[in-house]
Amino acid sequence: MEGAELAGKILSTWLTLVLGFILLPSVFGVSLGISEIYMKILVKTLEWATIRIEKGTPKESTLKNSASVGIIQRDESPMEKGLSGLRGRDFELSDVFYFSKKGLEAIVEDEVTQRFSSEELVSWNLLTRTNVNFHYISLRLTMVWVLGVIVRYCVLLPLRVTLAFIGISLLVIGTTLVGQLPDSSLKNWLSELVHLTCCRICVRALSGTIHYHNKQHRPQKGGICVANHTSPIDVLILTTDGCYAMVGQVHGGLMGIIQRAMVKACPHVWFERSEMKDRHLVTKRLKEHIADKKKLPILIFPEGTCINNTSVMMFKKGSFEIGGTIHPVAIKYNPQFGDAFWNSSKYNMVSYLLRMMTSWAIVCDVWYMPPMTREDGEDAVQFANRVKSAIATQGGLTELPWDGGLKRAKVKDTFKEEQQKNYSKMIAGNGSLN
């Protein structure tokens, strides 16, 4: 009995601390300053570790590490310019050297597939092994690493699991209860309150520190919010500062329970797997949603897959055929404190969440950008590329024309045929694409 009483007291004390210092501040959207103190200590610790590693790492390894960031100095000039110095008026055998060079560059350092793996860090963050394999530097640094493991797995992980469980439970229960109310302004207000509170709790379960910029450009009702996609928690990051109508496929299991509860309180747009293949049906439902200016803005990630926080890949044109106002948002994570990228081909959801909850923290910047509309004479593809360029520029990301679907699929024949057509035009036009 004494053991049970002691366990009960510990549990009640734990829940009281969680309620008083985390849950209640989340409801009111305030911070007690605990996370700020934690981040200051963390920054100082990582800066100290970086200095110790630099002192203990040979200069040869440092040079090797800096050189490995970019293996190849690429020539990004177009085909016409690249072949101009090698060919005459008609076909020349020397043209083969240009295509061989491009092929070898792609084999040695492919600019596409490397976007589907975690980005390398310049220095070890006491979590991840970088290009320079971490060796024993000093006893002091090793003790700090051991202490970090104890803190992350024995203190932060139980706290974060508790918060995540409470946040998800409140979301399911709260949206289910709010969904029983008749449609009214009170129901909408309560729905937004439940979504905001629960998302803030879940973000604090990851020790999230988010910096929002240009809040005057936050997406408005009746619009479409488009953002680059790095992680499933992108939704939590954005919903912490405002509510959105989600768009996605109906799932089973725990995710299905959450979806069914959420749609009762808020007009999210969920599709069955068979409906997702019908573009016209999807477009129709989205147009009906944005036609009602009282409904929350739709949140869409046009890349269709997670990219590793370094680049923005091709935006699917479907989101830009609907019409309405587009509200671009750029999201950029700081990998020094934790890797938010989800490599779905390597980690399942449980493994990914475990890695997230045992990271130091999730730190990111969110930039709201001025609304954009489709210009006269501009098709959906051109509009999508213009929005993508704006997001890449604002977030300091590399803009790539490739489809994110290449993570799991082969290059489409149309890409190969396009290069062949350009080359044939050059031959037919005696060295000019025109």
Side-chain angles (χ1 to χ4, degrees):
M1 290 296 294
E2 293 181 358
E5 291 179 358
L6 179 61
K9 290 181 179 180
I10 294 175
L11 180 60
S12 61
T13 303
W14 176 262
L15 293 178
T16 301
L17 293 174
V18 170
L19 176 65
F21 290 99
I22 299 177
L23 295 185
L24 289 180
S26 298
V27 174
F28 299 101
V30 298
S31 174
L32 299 180
I34 300 176
S35 59
E36 287 78 3
I37 296 174
Y38 168 70
M39 290 302 301
K40 288 181 180 179
I41 296 174
L42 184 58
V43 169
K44 293 293 185 182
T45 303
L46 294 180
E47 288 177 350
W48 173 84
T50 300
I51 294 173
R52 299 292 299 182
I53 292 171
E54 290 177 350
K55 288 182 178 179
T57 304
K59 292 184 178 180
E60 293 79 4
S61 299
T62 304
L63 293 174
K64 182 180 178 182
N65 180 43
S66 61
S68 63
V69 174
I71 301 176
I72 297 175
Q73 184 67 35
R74 291 182 180 271
D75 180 11
E76 301 295 344
S77 58
M79 182 189 300
E80 181 181 7
K81 185 177 180 181
L83 289 173
S84 60
L86 300 175
R87 67 193 313 280
R89 295 180 59 190
D90 300 314
F91 170 77
E92 295 286 345
L93 187 61
S94 59
D95 292 354
V96 175
F97 293 116
Y98 172 80
F99 295 108
S100 300
K101 174 176 173 288
K102 290 295 184 182
L104 290 173
E105 286 180 354
I107 292 173
V108 175
E109 189 178 32
D110 174 20
E111 69 174 359
V112 178
T113 55
Q114 63 179 320
R115 312 299 174 177
F116 304 137
S117 59
S118 297
E119 61 179 312
E120 291 286 355
L121 300 179
V122 176
S123 179
W124 188 41
N125 63 353
L126 304 181
L127 289 175
T128 308
R129 301 293 190 262
T130 56
N131 292 341
V132 179
N133 293 326
F134 180 75
H135 300 285
Y136 174 82
I137 302 296
S138 67
L139 177 62
R140 189 180 301 176
L141 184 63
T142 303
M143 293 301 295
V144 171
W145 176 77
V146 172
L147 179 62
V149 172
I150 295 174
V151 170
R152 288 187 292 111
Y153 282 88
C154 299
V155 179
L156 294 180
L157 181 59
L159 173 63
R160 290 169 175 174
V161 170
T162 302
L163 290 175
F165 176 78
I166 293 174
I168 294 174
S169 300
L170 289 178
L171 180 64
V172 173
I173 297 173
T175 51
T176 300
L177 293 176
V178 173
Q180 306 305 314
L181 301 175
D183 292 337
S184 62
S185 58
L186 175 61
K187 178 180 178 180
N188 295 335
W189 180 79
L190 289 175
S191 174
E192 293 185 15
L193 178 62
V194 170
H195 280 83
L196 286 173
T197 302
C198 295
C199 287
R200 286 168 181 165
I201 294 173
C202 291
V203 167
R204 296 191 183 196
L206 301 172
S207 299
T209 300
I210 313 168
H211 306 285
Y212 296 99
H213 307 275
N214 307 324
K215 286 193 174 185
Q216 69 273 19
H217 297 310
R218 278 190 293 191
Q220 302 299 314
K221 293 184 177 181
I224 302 173
C225 174
V226 298
N228 57 301
H229 198 22
T230 302
S231 163
I233 68 168
D234 292 341
V235 176
L236 293 177
I237 297 297
L238 294 176
T239 309
T240 301
D241 192 48
C243 290
Y244 298 88
M246 312 298 175
V247 178
Q249 181 179 309
V250 175
H251 294 274
L254 176 61
M255 184 61 70
I257 295 175
I258 297 174
Q259 285 182 320
R260 288 191 293 272
M262 291 172 62
V263 79
K264 293 178 181 178
C266 182
H268 299 290
V269 184
W270 306 128
F271 296 96
E272 297 290 344
R273 181 181 294 271
S274 58
E275 295 177 332
M276 289 295 290
K277 298 179 180 179
D278 189 346
R279 287 185 56 193
H280 297 289
L281 178 60
V282 173
T283 302
K284 179 183 177 182
R285 291 189 59 183
L286 294 180
K287 284 184 176 180
E288 291 175 352
H289 183 97
I290 65 173
D292 188 349
K293 300 304 178 182
K294 295 182 180 180
K295 291 186 176 180
L296 296 173
I298 295 176
L299 176 59
I300 299 178
F301 301 103
E303 289 169 298
T305 189
C306 294
I307 311 299
N308 73 347
N309 194 46
T310 64
S311 312
V312 180
M313 303 191 77
M314 186 182 76
F315 279 8
K316 304 292 193 300
K317 67 177 182 178
S319 308
F320 303 88
E321 293 176 327
I322 303 171
T325 303
I326 298 293
H327 299 271
V329 176
I331 305 174
K332 176 68 174 179
Y333 292 89
N334 188 336
Q336 188 67 27
F337 304 97
D339 183 17
F341 168 63
W342 181 32
N343 187 351
S344 56
S345 60
K346 186 176 181 180
Y347 302 104
N348 58 32
M349 181 57 75
V350 176
S351 299
Y352 169 73
L353 291 177
L354 179 62
R355 285 169 58 86
M356 295 283 286
M357 289 189 173
T358 54
S359 297
W360 292 117
I362 298 300
V363 181
C364 74
D365 288 273
V366 176
W367 290 273
Y368 297 113
M369 302 168 63
M372 303 174 67
T373 54
R374 191 164 161 181
E375 297 177 350
D376 295 336
E378 187 178 44
D379 60 25
V381 174
Q382 294 171 333
F383 185 29
N385 289 334
R386 184 159 60 91
V387 175
K388 182 185 72 170
S389 299
I391 291 177
T393 302
Q394 179 65 78
L397 304 166
T398 303
E399 183 182 357
L400 296 176
W402 299 98
D403 185 356
L406 292 174
K407 179 188 287 189
R408 299 179 180 85
K410 295 181 179 180
V411 178
K412 295 181 180 179
D413 292 334
T414 53
F415 286 105
K416 303 176 185 178
E417 294 171 358
E418 182 180 357
Q419 298 299 319
Q420 295 169 354
K421 288 179 181 179
N422 289 339
Y423 181 62
S424 63
K425 288 178 181 179
M426 289 181 60
I427 296 177
N430 291 329
S432 174
L433 284 173
N434 296 320

